[in-house]
Amino acid sequence: MPVIALEEVSKLYGFGDATTVALDEITLNIEPGEFVAVMGPSGSGKSTLMNIIGLLDRPTHGIYELNGRSVSRLRPNQSAKARRDTIGFVFQSFNLLPRLNVLENVALPLAYKGMLHSRRLKRAADMLERVGLGDREYFMPRQLSGGQAQRVAIARALVNNPHILIADEPTGNLDSAASRLVMELLSDIHKSGTTILMVTHNPELTRYATRVVFMHDGSIVADEQSEIGDIPKLARKTHYSIPKTTEEDDLAGVSALMQAIPEKDEAQKKAVKKKKPKAKIFRPRATKRGKR
Amino acid sequence: MLLARNLKIAIDSIRSAKWRSLLTMLGIIIGVVSVVTTVSIGEGVKTQVKDQITRLGPDLITIRPGKVVNRDTAGHVSSVNLFPSAGTAAFNESDWKAMQNTPGLRAVVPFNVVTGVPSTTERSMDNSFIVGATTNVPEVLNHKVEFGEFFNEGDVNKRVAVIGKRVAEQLFAENVPIGKIMEIRGQQFVVRGVFEEFATSPLTTNTDYNTAVFIPYETSKHISNNQVQIYQVLAKPIDPVAVNGVTDALHQSILTARAGQDDFTILKQDENLAIANNILTLLTGLIAGIAAISLIVGGIGIMNIMLVSVTERTREIGIRKAVGATNKQIMSQFLVEAAVLSLVGGIIGVVISILANYMLRIFTSLQPVITVPITLVAITVALVVGIVFGVTPALRAARKDPIHALRYE
């Protein structure tokens, strides 16, 4: 039985003419123990999908079954409890509470479960040990490096023994060394049986995944199984570059267009203005920074 | 347990913004201080008035011109006229004679007001008042003459005076000015005695006899061209238990003397007490009510700051929701914070009230009394105000959409 089963799930924003389709009838099954990497350009619906799977959001249409239980129409309180017991979140920006120390941050989900203070601190301490930060218990989040903060966030996500770990660009704010450490940690967690969903823009990171899903304009355009350690074919083809446009480029672009236009009357000036943004859209436009 | 954790969060968040929290609490603090202080002053004055009235003796009968109180059919005081003297004449001598002839009374003392300012060659005293009275003033006032003696039957036509403590101090600048000369309406009077200090109570209409100059009734008539203005008559019954029967008889004889006009009031001491209490309770309640408005203003301050706090901590709310906090848990977190703010404000307010209480006792003649119930009520009201005004911000926090909250910078 799949741990996550989405059937024709759609998410729409806005009303009438202004309606945006963020997810377009997505059907997706994820089996327990999979490590799914979700890729796609900005605005392709990755985060919306993660929010719906993570029960932070509800689908407009379609059925979502989590562990065989339909959760697409849960009330906010029920979904909060389901989220607390089955899902762990890891964010790009760590999202630790700045006023709590590391140990309290990790113990936070247990507090909402109603666990006794001493027991939850014990559990949190064990979990910190597991991510290799046993000696940082009483540090404040601002005293940690990015990699350490993300490992604390992972400890917090795992402290409730969730079935699913949702990581939204977990290495987006980290340098390569810290990224590696975090990815190795996620890989360890995966090996111990936790299902992981990870959004990423970095094709290199798909080496850790057992399955790669590509999204575009709210639809899944490709879904490929892969061996751990391999970069799947599709991911290899995706070229990501940081767009570099300077003022000079822009000026050159406009003047080139201007030269191409024989007559400089008003109507054509308007046409120039219209064309310019279009030209920009066609540029391969994916950023390393991703979206939040 | 959830409460304990929320308390910790609340205290942390208050401590992390000390100044802001203090300013927020200021409204509550001021509210609590003003309510507690006014009520305690009221209580204190009541006790003082009670002391003063009981010291005069429980069997004292006060007869005043004008309707000071309204009575119901059973004869109980039903309401009090705050300004009874307006438009009411004083008693004249025949009224007093009628009272004196009523059986069952052992002392009937007229208080005949003489206008005028007593003076010596060096000083004069504007705020004193001159009373023509008979010889048994010490008996009806239940008060001793400390130095010298009160004028007696042999002095009825003499120019002698018995004065209160303040008069001795202000007019003669000494404690025992016996035998000294003072001048009233161009006539010279010899000081015969000085009363022991009378207990006074602020904020009441009761006369302060410390500023009084008592002269013999007959003499007072002479120096004011035989005009008599008796503003009150004090009487004591022979049998203290039979006060009620005596007052009825008094009523009848005065009615006869005044040709059936019922425009006077006979008050027993317990009624006097009730009237004073009545007026004071009314006044205290009024002022405390006005003071309570500042509590509401304080509540609005708390709401304001909590709304700011909720907005500031949007991201925190998002994180808490993402790790599984329910709306209820978020709501209780912010409610507890508002409650803690107002509770701490209430406690600080009570502490300041107690300090203010001591200051008042030291620097004024007021003797405010802070009771445990009033402090408890004040703290509880502050707490309730905090919770009531904390609901809106807490609801707003609880209803935040976790996705938007997580993206909030």
Side-chain angles (χ1 to χ4, degrees), chain B residues 29 32 49 71 77 108 132 138 209 234 240 244-245 258 262 273 295 301 385 396 405 407:
Chain B
I29 294 173
V32 167
V49 170
R71 290 176 193 275
V77 174
V108 182
Y209 292 115
L234 296 183
N244 282 337
R258 291 179 78 84
D262 191 2
L273 192 64
L295 265 179
V385 163
R396 187 171 282 199
R407 275 188 206 140

Side-chain angles (χ1 to χ4, degrees), chain A residues 80-135:
Chain A
K81 281 174 191 157
R83 192 156 65 223
R84 184 188 70 197
D85 295 335
T86 48
I87 294 160
F89 281 99
V90 177
F91 302 95
Q92 181 179 5
S93 53
F94 324 135
N95 276 346
L96 299 176
L97 291 184
R99 278 208 290 266
L100 301 185
N101 68 28
V102 165
L103 194 62
E104 287 166 330
N105 259 298
V106 175
L108 195 63
L110 300 174
Y112 287 116
K113 214 173 184 173
M115 193 181 276
L116 281 173
H117 189 71
S118 51
R119 270 191 69 194
R120 61 175 192 256
L121 289 191
K122 176 83 179 60
R123 276 280 289 279
D126 290 348
M127 204 47 77
L128 273 175
E129 204 67 55
R130 189 171 156 193
V131 299
L133 289 171
D135 55 344

Side-chain angles (χ1 to χ4, degrees), chain B residues 2 29 32 61 66 75 112 130 137 147 161 163-164 178-179 181 189 225 236 255 271 301 327-328 352 356 366 378 402:
Chain B
L2 184 74
I29 294 173
V32 167
I61 300 166
N112 178 30
I130 304 150
V137 171
F147 304 108
I163 58 178
I178 290 175
I181 304 288
F189 283 77
N225 304 326
K236 289 246 172 168
L255 263 186
E271 287 174 338
N327 288 1
K328 219 168 125 190
I352 294 178
L366 296 166

Side-chain angles (χ1 to χ4, degrees), chain A residues 169-184:
Chain A
E169 294 197 49
T171 59
N173 281 1
L174 302 178
D175 59 33
S176 55
S179 290
R180 251 191 88 109
L181 214 58
V182 165
M183 286 315 297
E184 291 296 339

Side-chain angles (χ1 to χ4, degrees), chain A residues 244-259:
Chain A
K244 273 187 203 160
T245 51
T246 62
E247 214 171 330
E248 280 170 31
D249 292 338
D250 282 352
L251 282 173
V254 172
S255 56
L257 277 166
M258 300 283 265
Q259 278 172 1

Side-chain angles (χ1 to χ4, degrees), chain A residues 77 83 93 95 112 292, chain B residues 315 320-321 327 329 409:
Chain A
N77 273 347
R83 192 156 65 223
S93 53
N95 276 346
Y112 287 116
R292 287 207 279 119
Chain B
R315 201 180 171 85
R320 287 180 184 276
K321 285 196 159 190
N327 288 1
Q329 285 165 328
E409 288 297 332

Side-chain angles (χ1 to χ4, degrees), chain A:
Chain A
M1 187 186 69
V3 59
I4 294 164
L6 299 176
E7 202 186 323
E8 296 188 344
V9 164
S10 300
K11 180 72 191 178
L12 310 177
Y13 291 111
F15 301 93
D17 289 348
T19 305
T20 319
V21 183
L23 289 182
D24 191 4
E25 297 192 346
I26 284 190
T27 301
L28 178 70
N29 289 319
I30 294 171
E31 299 295 331
E34 280 191 290
F35 189 146
V36 182
V38 182
M39 300 188 76
S42 293
S44 59
K46 304 185 301 290
S47 289
T48 308
L49 183 64
M50 291 302 118
N51 287 338
I52 284 176
I53 291 176
L55 295 173
L56 287 172
D57 207 351
R58 295 204 308 194
T60 318
H61 306 293
I63 299 164
Y64 171 23
E65 282 180 4
L66 180 66
N67 284 329
R69 172 185 171 216
S70 174
V71 289
S72 33
R73 288 286 167 269
L74 285 187
R75 295 177 175 283
N77 273 347
Q78 294 170 311
S79 60
K81 281 174 191 157
R83 192 156 65 223
R84 184 188 70 197
D85 295 335
T86 48
I87 294 160
F89 281 99
V90 177
F91 302 95
Q92 181 179 5
S93 53
F94 324 135
N95 276 346
L96 299 176
L97 291 184
R99 278 208 290 266
L100 301 185
N101 68 28
V102 165
L103 194 62
E104 287 166 330
N105 259 298
V106 175
L108 195 63
L110 300 174
Y112 287 116
K113 214 173 184 173
M115 193 181 276
L116 281 173
H117 189 71
S118 51
R119 270 191 69 194
R120 61 175 192 256
L121 289 191
K122 176 83 179 60
R123 276 280 289 279
D126 290 348
M127 204 47 77
L128 273 175
E129 204 67 55
R130 189 171 156 193
V131 299
L133 289 171
D135 55 344
R136 294 285 189 275
E137 280 181 7
Y138 295 101
F139 278 50
M140 297 308 278
R142 61 171 183 279
Q143 296 168 312
L144 301 178
S145 70
Q148 288 170 337
Q150 194 60 297
R151 275 146 71 200
V152 172
I154 291 170
R156 180 178 68 187
L158 291 177
V159 77
N160 257 340
N161 284 329
H163 302 121
I164 305 158
L165 185 72
I166 294 177
D168 196 344
E169 294 197 49
T171 59
N173 281 1
L174 302 178
D175 59 33
S176 55
S179 290
R180 251 191 88 109
L181 214 58
V182 165
M183 286 315 297
E184 291 296 339
L185 182 59
L186 285 179
S187 183
D188 268 4
I189 294 159
H190 170 233
K191 276 174 203 152
S192 67
T194 309
T195 312
I196 296 181
L197 268 91
M198 179 181 72
V199 170
T200 184
H201 277 119
N202 188 348
E204 274 297 312
L205 299 186
T206 56
R207 280 182 196 280
Y208 296 93
T210 59
R211 181 178 173 188
V212 183
V213 170
F214 296 89
M215 291 190 70
H216 189 75
D217 286 349
S219 304
I220 294 177
V221 290
D223 188 345
E224 192 180 333
Q225 303 285 334
S226 76
E227 290 297 314
I228 294 178
D230 282 354
I231 300 177
K233 269 181 272 164
L234 265 166
R236 227 174 293 160
K237 278 186 199 158
T238 343
H239 290 293
Y240 287 93
S241 62
I242 302 161
K244 273 187 203 160
T245 51
T246 62
E247 214 171 330
E248 280 170 31
D249 292 338
D250 282 352
L251 282 173
V254 172
S255 56
L257 277 166
M258 300 283 265
Q259 278 172 1
I261 299 160
E263 282 167 71
K264 296 176 184 175
D265 58 23
E266 287 298 309
Q268 260 146 350
K269 268 186 188 170
K270 271 182 195 168
V272 171
K273 274 180 189 168
K274 263 187 180 176
K275 268 186 181 172
K276 193 191 157 195
K278 234 183 173 182
K280 265 197 160 177
I281 285 171
F282 283 128
R283 183 170 274 177
R285 192 162 180 276
T287 63
K288 211 180 170 189
R289 293 183 55 205
K291 59 175 224 166
R292 287 207 279 119

